Amino acid sequence: MVKIALNIMLQSQGFGTRRWCRELIEDGDVTVNGEIITDPGATFDTDNLRFSVFGEEWIYREHVYICINKPGNIECSRKPSFHPGVLTLLPEQFSRRDVQPVGRLDHDTTGMLLMSDDGAFIHAQSSPKRHVPKVYVATTHDIVTPQLISELLAGVKLHDETTPLAALRCERITEHEIEIVLEQGKYHQVKRMLAAAGNHCTALKRVAIGALTLASLGLAEDAWCYLSPEQIASAGSSSQ
Ligand code: URA
């Protein structure tokens, strides 16, 4: 059991500076488990702690683990240059608690993006040693041929890589679509692999990470959800 003062708890959840949180509490804008609390120093057990700020309900979370179905024209970088950043799609509390993408998708790549404020999770999930397969659906400019599939499976040499990179799995879906599974996460990897195999990627969507699929989460484009401990574990698992 962890007990925490209300103003410190609110700050940890991204509601602003300690001073701002204290004022929110003193002004009667905060409830805990349904009751208005005006003492910033009142302490609460963080287990199953439910609170509201300006009438909006929240649950205390030591860390946040979410999945967003990223739309196009959104950048994953912290300092986006040409398009809005992915944090603009989430409640502002998340940027204040330093929620960040776990790995990156290109601005025009859509689909599954995990985000968290748990540094150890981000690090472990992004580690190349982890071999977490990522599943993409790529739309191609030219027709998908058996040769394209076999080249992607055999491995293609990219400019700045010393060894060829191969897909773990690759299947034709339609004349202009493939499902490709990669274990690595090199810069523009799917697009560069398709180009190296003589085709061109015109659209790209990530549909699964590890055993966690976007379909199982039922997320509409732009929508996000919290992940359960089981879903977090399946996103780190190497089974497909
Ligand atoms: N491969 C790419 O080319 N782009 C992405 O965003 C992800 C994988």
Side-chain angles (χ1 to χ4, degrees):
M1 177 170 92
V2 179
K3 281 214 156 205
I4 188 167
L6 186 53
N7 60 337
I8 295 174
M9 188 281 287
L10 278 189
Q11 187 186 16
S12 77
Q13 302 298 289
F15 284 87
T17 60
R18 184 100 37 108
R19 182 168 170 190
W20 174 253
C21 293
R22 194 179 64 222
E23 284 174 14
L24 286 178
I25 298 163
E26 287 171 346
D27 289 350
D29 296 322
V30 179
T31 70
V32 177
N33 299 327
E35 194 189 330
I36 295 176
I37 307 290
T38 53
D39 173 9
T43 60
F44 294 92
D45 178 359
T46 54
D47 283 353
N48 302 315
L49 178 55
R50 291 173 181 274
F51 63 97
S52 77
V53 179
F54 294 126
E56 193 177 350
E57 298 281 341
W58 296 84
I59 294 176
Y60 172 86
R61 293 172 198 270
E62 186 184 355
H63 287 298
V64 167
Y65 305 88
I66 67 163
C67 177
I68 182 163
N69 185 356
K70 179 188 169 299
N73 292 327
I74 291 286
E75 291 185 28
C76 286
S77 109
R78 267 168 188 268
K79 292 192 179 145
S81 322
F82 301 107
H83 304 279
V86 68
L87 282 159
T88 60
L89 304 174
L90 299 169
E92 61 179 0
Q93 285 79 7
F94 287 3
S95 2
R96 287 204 214 100
R97 53 185 298 178
D98 207 21
V99 168
Q100 42 186 293
V102 181
R104 291 201 177 169
L105 290 176
D106 298 336
H107 81 273
D108 54 353
T109 301
T110 59
M112 185 180 237
L113 180 68
L114 305 185
M115 299 186 71
S116 180
D117 61 351
D118 179 348
F121 170 75
I122 296 173
H123 182 74
Q125 191 75 18
S126 328
S127 163
K129 290 187 198 132
R130 188 97 179 228
H131 299 302
V132 178
K134 303 191 176 76
V135 186
Y136 299 87
V137 172
T139 308
T140 62
H141 181 268
D142 299 323
I143 283 178
V144 174
T145 58
Q147 192 194 341
L148 175 74
I149 304 287
S150 43
E151 280 191 40
L152 293 171
L153 284 169
V156 287
K157 174 86 181 63
L158 304 184
H159 276 319
D160 47 355
E161 297 295 330
T162 46
T163 50
L165 294 176
L168 196 65
R169 242 184 43 219
C170 186
E171 281 161 27
R172 175 190 185 277
I173 308 176
T174 65
E175 244 187 10
H176 285 276
E177 265 181 331
I178 57 168
E179 182 174 279
I180 179 165
V181 184
L182 300 181
E183 260 183 1
Q184 318 87 346
K186 308 268 183 198
Y187 183 65
H188 293 333
Q189 189 172 338
V190 175
K191 294 173 187 165
R192 287 159 70 220
M193 284 176 71
L194 273 164
N199 205 312
H200 174 67
C201 179
T202 56
L204 187 60
K205 179 173 187 172
R206 184 154 68 191
V207 294
I209 297 177
L212 183 67
T213 65
L214 199 53
S216 71
L217 297 173
L219 281 180
E221 191 165 284
D222 280 21
W224 65 273
C225 65
Y226 289 107
L227 296 175
S228 68
E230 295 73 28
Q231 289 167 332
I232 295 165
S234 68
S237 93
S238 54
S239 63
Q240 265 300 304

